[in-house]
Amino acid sequence: MRLKKWMMALLVPVLLLCGCAGQKQEFTITDVTVQDVKDMADAGDTFLLLVEREGCDFCQAMNEYMEETKADHPEVKLFRLDTTDFDLVKEQAENKTLVSETEEGKAWLELQPYFLYTPAIYRYENGKADEAAIGFNVVTDEISLWDTTSTIDFDTAKTEGLWEFLER
């Protein structure tokens, strides 16, 4: 009887540990609207926002890369904003800022007035986006780092691996 109690005392913690280890989180991407982003920012949330659009070859390449490698990064949670229907255009060809005639496009540009390229990933900390990862290098799997107070200058921007940025 004593041996049985001793075995149970050892077995129960092992079973509990095994059960917990099997419950890994999965990499997720959740689609959101501009209003969702505003609400999360107003609530002071910390999150990663991926901004992309249809027809963007770099967005597609980044999504394919993430799909192929996501199993190695199960804790990453992204929110995705699709700007395809925002009708974002340069007011003049030489401009480095965009304008929009749609309500969602205008609302997005109020949040991120220097938004210009996709894909872009904004790191929101306590409701504020101070850092962005812009573009995607299909050869090195890197993104270009920039702040959100001006339009990116790819010549001076530092680069970082996509997953390194997402997991910091």
Side-chain angles (χ1 to χ4, degrees):
M1 192 63 145
R2 227 175 176 182
L3 182 60
K4 196 173 189 179
K5 285 183 182 179
W6 183 76
M7 292 287 283
M8 289 300 285
L10 287 175
L11 249 160
V12 169
V14 170
L15 289 173
L16 287 173
L17 285 173
C18 290
C20 292
Q23 296 177 357
K24 269 191 169 180
Q25 297 289 326
E26 287 188 28
F27 169 84
T28 61
I29 296 179
T30 304
D31 291 321
V32 293
T33 64
V34 173
Q35 188 59 53
D36 294 330
V37 175
K38 282 184 175 183
D39 292 344
M40 291 187 298
D42 289 345
D45 292 348
T46 296
F47 58 96
L48 293 166
L49 178 67
L50 167 62
V51 182
E52 57 186 21
R53 63 182 168 77
E54 288 178 22
C56 169
D57 293 337
F58 294 102
C59 298
Q60 182 178 347
M62 187 175 71
N63 281 321
E64 288 171 5
Y65 173 69
M66 284 192 297
E67 184 64 30
E68 292 167 6
T69 57
K70 70 182 181 183
D72 297 329
H73 309 278
E75 300 299 319
V76 174
K77 308 286 179 233
L78 285 176
F79 291 93
R80 177 176 44 212
L81 178 67
D82 182 354
T83 61
T84 302
D85 296 327
F86 290 12
D87 292 328
L88 299 166
V89 296
K90 290 182 179 181
E91 197 167 31
Q92 296 174 351
E94 66 277 0
N95 279 9
K96 294 235 177 205
T97 56
L98 300 176
V99 295
S100 176
E101 293 298 319
T102 70
E103 291 307 310
E104 269 211 303
K106 289 176 186 177
W108 172 242
L109 293 174
E110 279 181 33
L111 282 175
Q112 294 300 332
Y114 298 104
F115 171 76
L116 188 58
Y117 301 106
T118 56
I121 304 171
Y122 291 88
R123 180 182 304 285
Y124 277 79
E125 300 267 345
N126 301 315
K128 302 216 180 312
D130 295 326
E131 184 180 24
I134 303 172
F136 181 68
N137 184 320
V138 298
V139 176
T140 63
D141 303 321
E142 293 179 322
I143 39 78
S144 296
L145 304 177
W146 203 252
D147 61 34
T148 60
T149 61
S150 64
T151 304
I152 188 169
D153 177 354
F154 285 106
D155 292 331
T156 61
K158 293 181 180 181
T159 60
E160 183 174 37
L162 174 65
W163 289 114
E164 286 77 14
F165 177 81
L166 295 176
E167 292 179 317
R168 328 194 217 119

